[in-house]
Amino acid sequence: MPSYPLQAGPVPLQWPQPRHTLHAGPRLSSSASSKELLMKLRRKTGYSFVNCKKALETCGGDLKQAESWLHEQARKEGWSKAAKLHGRKTKEGLIGLLQEGNTTVLVEVNCETDFVARNLKFQQLVQQVALGTMLHCQSLKNQLSTYSKGFLNSSELSELPTGPEREGSLKDQLALAIGKLGENMTLKRAAWVKVPTGFYVGSYVHGAMHSPSLHNLVLGKYGALVICETSEWKANLEDLGRRLGQHVVGMAPLSVGSLDDEPGGEAETKMLSQPYLLDPSITLGQYVQPQGVSVVDFVRFECGESEEAAESE
């Protein structure tokens, strides 16, 4: 009968369709190439297996889009958590000291507990802040005939770009760290010093530990930079600079003073007339004078100190 071919006609056309869709579905499946994509995304971003899998599914297996999607989700989550935790006290944290060429920076990043301060992710945040401050300082086109010194407050620090390795600003990195570690954190402050020939910056960090991935970044609870003027390079300058930094951390002077200041009274807050930390039988000025250098300035950071104390320095 003529109706049979008409009814049977569509049947062979329908069979290949399910077989075809098995091969044309989302690129993320249990295949070896999909597992490789998943591992590559995990290695590159550090996010969990579940999040990376979701990112690849959402982005149809596109690695670059999946990476951007993950970062965007983490940023949203971080800002959301930061808003919830805002206002909680941040008295712990770390000082970071970074030196490159004629430029030295000190930064302070705070968190709620010492437990988080010891976390690698928090230390990586301090590293980002130090690098961002260093790049900012190096971008300042000033001709140096003498040393220059500058400070950045919390809001200025937050707006600095993170540098060529990462997108966004330091406040984005702060939000990501808050999202990952679950504590309130603040980018408190930074100081930088640039010196020309004839000057030297001594440095010291108390309780120092080196950054796991940046060899010239030192982390601790107290940090000091001491700017010295010297007519010639001396072999012991590094050791001398470290000892002067130790003195500034331990004795907390408020000004340099002069070699003519008499010890005692108000002079106790002046660096050169203070008893030398490592030999209280002499003043710091008496220790420095035979070394052939002049102390001209210093910066001291103490982690968690009050705003008033920080501003008085």
Side-chain angles (χ1 to χ4, degrees):
M1 291 176 66
S3 59
Y4 282 39
L6 289 173
Q7 290 173 346
V11 175
L13 296 176
Q14 290 171 352
W15 278 109
Q17 287 177 0
R19 287 199 296 267
H20 179 69
T21 32
L22 285 173
H23 298 288
R27 274 186 278 176
L28 188 69
S29 67
S30 59
S31 68
S33 62
S34 298
K35 285 179 181 173
E36 193 179 314
L37 266 180
L38 192 55
M39 293 309 295
K40 195 178 284 187
L41 187 61
R42 284 201 72 194
R43 279 196 301 271
K44 199 167 185 188
T45 65
Y47 291 107
S48 70
F49 176 87
V50 172
N51 286 336
C52 288
K53 189 170 186 291
K54 187 177 179 184
L56 285 166
E57 285 171 351
T58 304
C59 301
D62 186 303
L63 191 67
K64 197 168 183 182
Q65 279 186 28
E67 189 180 343
S68 297
W69 184 87
L70 278 170
H71 289 322
E72 185 57 34
Q73 294 304 307
R75 228 188 319 266
K76 284 179 185 172
E77 188 183 329
W79 281 118
S80 168
K81 197 166 279 188
K84 288 176 189 169
L85 299 176
H86 181 72
R88 281 174 32 173
K89 291 188 186 305
T90 52
K91 288 289 187 183
E92 296 295 334
L94 286 171
I95 305 294
L97 186 150
L98 180 62
Q99 288 186 288
E100 282 185 13
N102 70 336
T103 305
T104 310
V105 303
L106 263 184
V107 301
E108 180 180 354
V109 183
N110 298 131
C111 56
E112 294 179 49
T113 64
D114 193 48
F115 177 75
V116 161
R118 295 195 300 270
N119 186 286
L120 179 61
K121 285 186 173 65
F122 180 79
Q123 292 172 12
Q124 286 169 339
L125 173 64
V126 181
Q127 177 173 308
Q128 279 295 318
V129 175
L131 285 169
T133 306
M134 178 64 74
L135 288 169
H136 166 73
C137 187
Q138 290 173 339
S139 71
L140 301 173
K141 305 293 183 192
N142 45 354
Q143 295 295 317
L144 291 179
S145 56
T146 183
Y147 77 95
S148 64
K149 179 177 79 168
F151 293 90
L152 295 167
N153 63 27
S154 182
S155 57
E156 292 166 333
L157 204 50
S158 297
E159 296 302 326
L160 291 184
T162 53
E165 295 297 313
R166 296 168 189 259
E167 294 178 3
S169 60
L170 289 178
K171 66 183 175 187
D172 294 319
Q173 297 303 313
L174 175 68
L176 285 170
I178 290 172
K180 287 174 183 172
L181 296 172
E183 273 197 12
N184 191 25
M185 297 173 202
T186 49
L187 310 182
K188 186 169 184 179
R189 54 180 169 163
W192 53 266
V193 174
K194 289 174 87 170
V195 294
T197 305
F199 285 80
Y200 178 76
V201 180
S203 63
Y204 175 72
V205 172
H206 187 68
M209 53 184 173
H210 283 269
S211 159
S213 55
L214 191 65
H215 72 279
N216 54 340
L217 174 70
V218 188
L219 305 167
K221 294 293 183 182
Y222 298 79
L225 310 179
V226 182
I227 304 154
C228 303
E229 195 169 2
T230 178
S231 55
E232 58 179 318
W233 180 259
K234 299 172 189 300
N236 70 333
L237 264 181
E238 188 174 337
D239 185 54
L240 175 63
R242 186 177 60 79
R243 287 166 182 258
L244 294 175
Q246 274 181 305
H247 178 93
V248 169
V249 163
M251 299 297 286
L254 300 179
S255 63
V256 174
S258 77
L259 292 170
D260 299 327
D261 292 328
E262 292 293 326
E266 282 186 19
E268 283 297 307
T269 64
K270 296 179 179 179
M271 183 179 172
L272 293 173
S273 58
Q274 288 179 323
Y276 174 38
L277 182 72
L278 302 179
D279 181 2
S281 68
I282 58 173
T283 64
L284 185 77
Q286 290 168 333
Y287 167 69
V288 169
Q289 200 170 16
Q291 311 282 348
V293 302
S294 302
V295 176
V296 292
D297 208 346
F298 66 88
V299 179
R300 180 185 185 274
F301 276 11
E302 178 179 337
C303 187
E305 67 185 330
S306 68
E307 295 292 338
E308 294 77 17
E311 284 170 11
S312 72
E313 302 238 339

